[in-house]
Amino acid sequence: MGEITFQQFLDSKQYSKNGILRYEKVFDKDYLSSGGYASTHHFLKTGLDGFLNQNSYVLDVGCGLGGSAFYMNKNFGCKILGIDLSLNMVEIAIQKNEEYKYQDISFEVADCSLRHFPEATFDVIYSRDTILHIQDKLALFKNFYKWLKPGGKFFITDYCAAPKNTWNSEFATYVAGRGYDLHTPEAYGEILKKAGFTNVKAEDVSVYWKTLLEAELKKLDEGSTTRKEIMEEFTEVDLKALEEGWKQKLKRVDSGYQRWGAFWGTK
């Protein structure tokens, strides 16, 4: 029996349909990244407000369930192509948009490290908590640079970490088990500069992330609407897995090992 592909790993493990729909209960309807609607609104208003408009063509890398694409189309009138390696994610995103009927949004199953676009295709490249899966970030960011139009912008949030030589065994095991490639926010920003981007801003937004994680964990409190919905649609095992997952994330953030970065830049 051959080795499973990374796509098969995602769709059968971390992003099984059951796992996706469980996570969505905590992150927010249509979202599968930290802060859901609230962080999408925050970052797009603070980082790209005034740049996005009805003429903008956006590549959403790791589009998940389509929440960010729906937000950008509704609020700015953008045209968006969302790509994600998870077949499960893209199937759900397409089903959602068949219901919502947002215009000028398309979703595609694709590996961003293998997909190619003509030079100067997009006005904006946007990605939320996805590139942690990519080992060769420099090669990917060089492609991003090529795919953007002159003057185009990118915005990324991603999992980051303390310097690797400070990690304890528990955190190292966690990172290896997920297949993540994590850098400090500062080092991440340097990779973007090496790819050719200018006006690179690399921020450690872990303090903001902690407030989002705490709010998400609170949704699982006894008596909460979200907890009731999870118990109606899933199992107590699912609920406990969510609670434990969020508690562990908060523990890793509090320890300083796991961090969250936000990155902006211009071609």
Side-chain angles (χ1 to χ4, degrees):
M1 188 167 156
E3 291 185 7
I4 66 169
T5 65
F6 183 54
Q7 182 185 50
Q8 290 168 330
F9 168 78
L10 289 178
D11 281 334
S12 64
K13 302 293 185 182
Q14 190 174 359
Y15 300 131
S16 67
K17 282 199 173 176
N18 181 68
I20 289 169
L21 297 174
R22 276 186 345 204
Y23 284 142
E24 184 186 18
K25 289 291 183 185
V26 186
F27 282 126
D28 264 346
K29 184 174 170 57
D30 301 335
Y31 291 92
L32 220 69
S33 57
S34 292
Y37 175 90
S39 64
T40 300
H41 177 80
H42 169 76
F43 285 124
L44 286 173
K45 286 294 183 183
T46 57
L48 291 171
D49 195 26
F51 188 80
L52 291 171
N53 57 58
Q54 63 184 5
N55 296 315
S56 301
Y57 188 19
V58 180
L59 177 65
D60 184 354
V61 178
C63 60
L65 304 183
S68 291
F70 302 146
Y71 182 99
M72 285 186 274
N73 184 263
K74 180 179 180 180
N75 289 278
F76 303 104
C78 306
K79 178 182 179 182
I80 301 115
L81 170 60
I83 64 172
D84 202 295
L85 185 58
S86 168
L87 176 62
N88 291 338
M89 297 270 209
V90 172
E91 282 184 347
I92 295 170
I94 290 171
Q95 288 168 5
K96 284 175 176 288
N97 204 36
E98 285 174 354
E99 176 189 343
Y100 300 153
K101 295 181 171 54
Y102 286 110
Q103 301 299 308
D104 296 323
I105 295 178
S106 57
F107 296 108
E108 174 186 311
V109 178
D111 184 336
C112 64
S113 65
L114 300 176
R115 183 70 163 85
H116 293 286
F117 296 99
E119 289 190 28
T121 295
F122 301 101
D123 298 285
V124 172
I125 293 179
Y126 175 95
S127 182
R128 298 295 307 277
D129 304 347
T130 294
I131 295 167
L132 51 98
H133 294 292
I134 305 299
Q135 301 296 316
D136 192 347
K137 290 178 172 49
L138 180 58
L140 179 66
F141 293 153
K142 284 181 177 179
N143 280 336
F144 284 5
Y145 187 85
K146 285 192 296 187
W147 299 342
L148 280 171
K149 297 174 185 176
K153 297 183 181 294
F154 72 81
F155 172 73
I156 298 163
T157 65
D158 211 7
Y159 284 14
C160 294
K164 195 168 185 177
N165 61 0
T166 70
W167 295 3
N168 66 7
S169 58
E170 185 278 331
F171 186 66
T173 300
Y174 159 76
V175 172
R178 293 295 183 97
Y180 291 164
D181 177 68
L182 304 184
H183 301 263
T184 65
E186 297 79 8
Y188 203 113
E190 289 304 312
I191 298 171
L192 286 160
K193 290 176 186 176
K194 285 181 185 176
F197 289 102
T198 61
N199 303 318
V200 172
K201 186 165 91 170
E203 285 191 5
D204 185 330
V205 290
S206 302
V207 173
Y208 176 50
W209 192 28
K210 183 179 178 180
T211 66
L212 297 174
L213 292 171
E214 288 172 336
E216 287 163 351
L217 183 58
K218 193 169 180 59
K219 291 180 182 179
L220 302 177
D221 281 352
E222 200 74 47
S224 71
T225 301
T226 299
R227 187 184 183 97
K228 289 176 184 174
E229 289 176 354
I230 291 170
M231 290 304 296
E232 287 171 2
E233 298 177 36
F234 302 96
T235 68
E236 189 165 352
V237 172
D238 292 319
L239 175 64
K240 294 299 181 187
L242 289 169
E243 287 179 320
E244 184 60 23
W246 257 257
K247 286 175 181 176
Q248 287 300 318
K249 272 192 278 190
L250 278 164
K251 183 178 177 182
R252 291 191 293 267
V253 172
D254 282 337
S255 72
Y257 292 124
Q258 192 162 356
R259 300 178 183 177
W260 204 36
F263 308 94
W264 296 261
T266 306
K267 178 172 179 178

